[in-house]
Amino acid sequence: MGKSVVDKKIRVIGIFILLSILILLLAKPNLGYASSPQKEVLLLNLNNSFSILFLILIALVIILLININKRKKVEQRLLRQNEELTAIYEELTASEEELRQQFEEIVIHQEVIKQSKERYKLALEATKDTIWEWDLAQDQRSYSEKTLEMLGYKGEELLSYEDWRELVHPDDVEVVEENLRTHFEEKREIYVSEYRIRCHDGHYKWLSAKGKTLFDSSGKAYKMVGSHSDITELKEQQEKIKHLAYHDFLTGLPNRASFQEITEQEIQKAKMNETFFALLLIDVDNFKVVNDSLGHGIGDKLLVKISQSLASYEYADKLVAKLGGDEFVILLRNLKDKGTALRHAEKIMGLFHQPFILKTHNCYVSISTGIVFCPQDGENFEELLINADIAMYKAKELGKKRYVFFDRKMKDEFEEKERMQNSLCQAIARKEFILYYQPQVDLESGRIIGFEALIRWQNPDKGMIQPKSFISLAEESGLIVPLGDWVLKEACTFAKKLQDLGYPDKTIAVNISTVQLRQDDFVDKVSSILEETGLAPAKLELEITETVLIEFFDHHIHAKLNLLQAKGIGIVLDDFGRGYSSLNYIKQLSISTLKIDKSFIGDIDDQDDSANITGAIIILAHQLGLKVVAEGVEFPEQIEYLRNYHCDIIQGYIVSRPLPEEKILASLYLLLSEVVI
Ligand code: C2E
Ligand code: MG
Ligand code: MG
């Protein structure tokens, strides 16, 4: 810098010398025009002094100018530098502000991070989640303290993947491996896997593992980080729910849903001719009676005992399930032939030869079983079950306590029954029923003392249908209730008509189903019909079949019978001898009359033991204070026999077949006034 200033000064002085020479050269010609030498000398002197002065002056001016110029330049430079400095200063100030702001932001961020770390920690503690990390390149795994705490291991015990895999439940290893493989191969965003892991104490815990993987540029996984959650409780809940969904709540046996699933698999195998299996549909006979008479608590206990007994049946390849209510089902797999199935069925029925002991009760139970085979008896589960049901109902129809193998004829019968049931329903609306009346004769006087009302169905297509073809159908469908109401009213009206016609003593016996008797309003209904028709209660007799009454007998029915008897209505135990024939039981029933079944009467002429039994029954019934009616009397010898034993009343073809009302009314005098036997 100093050097350039010196250069500049030399240049300025140089310029100044050059300018002086120039001025001198310019001043010289003026000397040539001088007029005299003195003048010239003077002029020359004067000119010289002036020139020097002038030159000095100019030099000074130039120096001044140069200085001014120089100062200006310095000033400008300083100004510029000042401006630059100001700018730098401003910039610095600004960036300082920025830095300050950034610093503040960092502080805030740090605070946020700290808070979220704390929150994360809290969340982890609250959710019981634990953290794991897996360096795949080194095969080194590490776990948060909590993982180790949860499983009861030390970190160094679980260093490699192999260490971890060793602890996975043998049934879950495949799942774990498969999940990892697909995660790596498909580079899925998140790895998810649920499996059981063995804790240090030997117990297994369910873990839900979730993780994220880092892949290198070649797509190879090199790091995984994730969490473990203990989902043991959740899994147990799920298991419980699944168990509930697939098992019967009361007995713990597989339910219909699970039975269906398994059976469907078996059907597929059977269709491919791989196996042959039998399905046994079991219904507990008269279970309702147990429930009604001993209470639902005992009923439930009985079902549990039955389920235990069936489940204990010794055949390894079986499945016992409960379909609902009192219905069980057994699947017998891998059977050799039908003969083997038959032997199994016999043994299973045999399980019910012993009573089930329920606290103080010895409960004798029988079962009805329908048996189907797969593949021949059904293409699918529904069909198999329907056919087994048909066979089971057949077993009930044949008197319960037995097994029946399904056959195609049964299905046709069943379908016919269904058609009947539908037309029965329409028949009520179309009033296709009619009552026939069969006289009852007092053996002593030989006169008709009353009638039994017997229903008939006048079917437009099939003609006259007898009650045995539709009463049980009506009972099953509940149609017996409206039908029975109609019978009762019609019969009472008929009896009242006879009274009005001058035969006030004639009674009317009406058959009543236990389905009717079980209706809460039955007693009221009878009372109101009597009131409506104007028939005296003493002229009405209600006939209840022995077997049904005893099977369904409970304290409700007992109370109803008492009430009816108290009103003066006669209660007749019908078909005595066809069922239990227990006179001891009869003592407990509120009945007024015993009607001996026609099968006993039919045997009278054979002069064998049964004849004596009939006589003995009459004697015993009389001892119990009961009136005795003999039904199905067809021959004079039978009358003779019955007379000898002082049977009170007889009913049968020997007197008259059941007749329609108009026929009775047409020969009324003859029928009701004369001695008929
Ligand atoms: P039940 O009450 O024991 O009726 C007697 C059955 O024996 C009647 O059959 C009758 O026609 C028949 N019978 C009468 N005398 C003789 C005879 O000398 N020999 C033979 N072989 N049979 C004789 P029906 O009318 O076919 O009735 C059958 C069953 O249907 C009745 O047996 C009764 O249990 C039931 N029933 C009839 N009408 C009704 C009704 O209105 N309601 C209910 N719930 N059941 C009824
Ligand atoms: Mg009867
Ligand atoms: Mg009878």
Side-chain angles (χ1 to χ4, degrees), residues 299-316:
D300 284 353
K301 283 191 183 121
L302 178 62
L303 287 176
V304 173
K305 289 270 179 185
I306 292 173
S307 72
Q308 286 166 350
S309 171
L310 292 175
S312 71
Y313 176 65
E314 279 180 20
Y315 177 62

Side-chain angles (χ1 to χ4, degrees), residues 88-106:
I88 288 167
Y89 174 76
E90 278 173 4
E91 256 177 46
L92 280 172
T93 323
S95 50
E96 194 181 302
E97 179 63 19
E98 252 175 51
L99 277 172
R100 199 178 52 77
Q101 277 179 5
Q102 281 176 2
F103 177 74
E104 279 173 7
E105 273 174 31
I106 285 167

